[in-house]
Amino acid sequence: MTDKNVCFAGEIALPAIGQGTWYMGENDRQRQKEVDALRAGIEAGLTLIDTAEMYADGGAEEVVGEALRGGLRDKVYLVSKVYPWNAGGKKAIAACEASLRRLNTDYLDLYLLHWRGNYSLAETVEVMETLVQQGKIRRWGVSNLDYGDMQELWRVQGGQACVTDQVLYHLGSRGIEYDLLPWCQQQGMPVMAYCPLAQAGRLRDGLLNHSAVAHIARAHNATAAQILLAWVISHQGVMAIPKAASVAHVEENAAALKIVLSAADLARLDDAFPAPGRKTPLDMV
């Protein structure tokens, strides 16, 4: 088995590990290091870059825009997210255009509703489709929507054009496996896992130092973080988008694409961190 891909909209196959940018753009002294990390990630094949107007109030988008200079834009699948209070009507058009300016591009491959707000899903779907027609975005999706939200979205006219749901997901935060993940898999719709290295969510403390994770890491000559990433992308249709602010870290993330966990590995991790047997609130940060 070789590197794993995830397919968006039934046609665009991308490596199952991308690059997140949360907390980038907050410190000018780190900017060049962040730019270098993103470029190294692209070189290593992590060609999806996820950002948002929320991150550093647009600063992360500016870092990404700088990283893509010199002809790299066409090599990446660029994702950004809109604040819920901007996710309708003229505000959404203006927010998207501002993101495009910061990113120094004329289109987004994918634009996501960051979380639900006061705009109805119908209003958001309508403006997303308008942005598609205007050529400002290629496709749209959502973030932090749970199973019930997705059922509501599917009943909205045009709602089934949604191509992904980006949610918090890692070994210690497995609530989506009860209903949301199986449903997305049935739809053939990828899930983008943010905080895949347990930066937030349930049971985040101790994951990287847990004996089961450490044992499997030693067996694969890998780091604990690589095992956590390999676990996330072992699930059908799931992409991980860890943030890496250094070249060494992004190369470590990319190497996790080649790790194939055995049935015994997966069983050991299941035993150490079992999925909930009932519906739990969607973890989000």
Side-chain angles (χ1 to χ4, degrees):
M1 186 173 180
T2 55
D3 294 2
K4 186 179 177 185
N5 291 324
V6 170
C7 193
F8 282 81
E11 58 189 45
I12 300 173
L14 296 165
I17 297 176
Q19 300 190 75
T21 61
W22 195 15
Y23 293 121
M24 286 190 181
E26 295 188 350
N27 184 338
D28 286 343
R29 288 174 293 181
Q30 297 296 316
R31 189 182 186 96
Q32 190 58 50
K33 188 177 179 183
E34 292 166 348
V35 166
D36 291 345
L38 288 169
R39 288 178 175 164
I42 298 167
E43 184 70 23
L46 308 186
T47 51
L48 182 144
I49 297 178
D50 174 83
T51 189
E53 65 173 337
M54 184 188 84
Y55 301 163
D57 292 325
E61 290 179 324
E62 293 175 351
V63 171
V64 174
E66 185 173 339
L68 296 183
R69 287 178 185 159
L72 290 181
R73 171 64 185 95
D74 292 341
K75 296 184 178 182
V76 305
Y77 192 85
L78 189 55
V79 185
S80 194
K81 298 185 283 293
V82 61
Y83 275 124
W85 49 86
N86 287 336
K90 293 180 180 178
K91 293 185 78 172
I93 304 293
C96 182
E97 290 174 346
S99 285
L100 293 175
R101 284 194 296 272
R102 289 188 291 265
L103 289 160
N104 195 30
T105 185
D106 56 4
Y107 74 96
L108 290 169
D109 293 286
L110 183 57
Y111 199 33
L112 308 182
L113 168 66
H114 208 150
W115 66 90
R116 289 195 71 169
N118 291 330
Y119 281 106
S120 69
L121 291 176
E123 288 174 294
T124 297
V125 170
E126 181 180 3
V127 78
M128 288 293 193
E129 289 299 328
T130 297
L131 288 166
V132 171
Q133 291 162 12
Q134 292 177 347
K136 293 183 173 75
I137 68 174
R138 297 279 173 86
R139 292 170 181 81
W140 63 270
V142 295
S143 180
N144 295 304
L145 265 62
D146 204 352
Y147 175 80
D149 300 307
M150 295 306 294
Q151 304 314 296
E152 184 180 339
L153 177 62
W154 243 234
R155 292 190 294 269
V156 170
Q157 183 176 354
Q160 295 186 27
C162 173
V163 301
T164 192
D165 189 8
Q166 183 181 124
V167 294
L168 189 154
Y169 182 48
H170 58 71
L171 179 60
S173 191
R174 300 179 61 178
I176 69 166
E177 293 178 33
Y178 184 78
D179 50 10
L180 179 62
L181 179 56
W183 182 82
C184 290
Q185 291 169 331
Q186 289 167 5
Q187 307 305 316
M189 184 175 68
V191 166
M192 297 175 70
Y194 73 81
C195 294
L197 297 177
Q199 297 97 322
R202 292 182 178 84
L203 295 177
R204 61 187 178 272
D205 295 331
L207 263 186
L208 287 165
N209 298 317
H210 194 276
S211 59
V213 176
H215 175 87
I216 294 168
R218 285 193 297 271
H220 287 270
N221 193 26
T223 65
Q226 287 175 321
I227 297 305
L228 295 185
L229 286 177
W231 179 87
V232 168
I233 66 172
S234 72
H235 296 82
Q236 174 195 336
V238 178
M239 166 182 275
I241 47 169
K243 173 229 176 188
S246 71
V247 171
H249 190 185
V250 80
E251 289 174 347
E252 177 184 330
N253 289 346
L257 280 167
K258 299 184 182 298
I259 296 173
V260 180
L261 300 176
S262 68
D265 292 335
L266 294 172
R268 184 166 189 158
L269 293 172
D270 270 339
D271 186 57
F273 297 97
R278 56 181 174 80
K279 178 68 178 174
T280 56
L282 184 71
D283 271 345
M284 61 180 288
V285 289

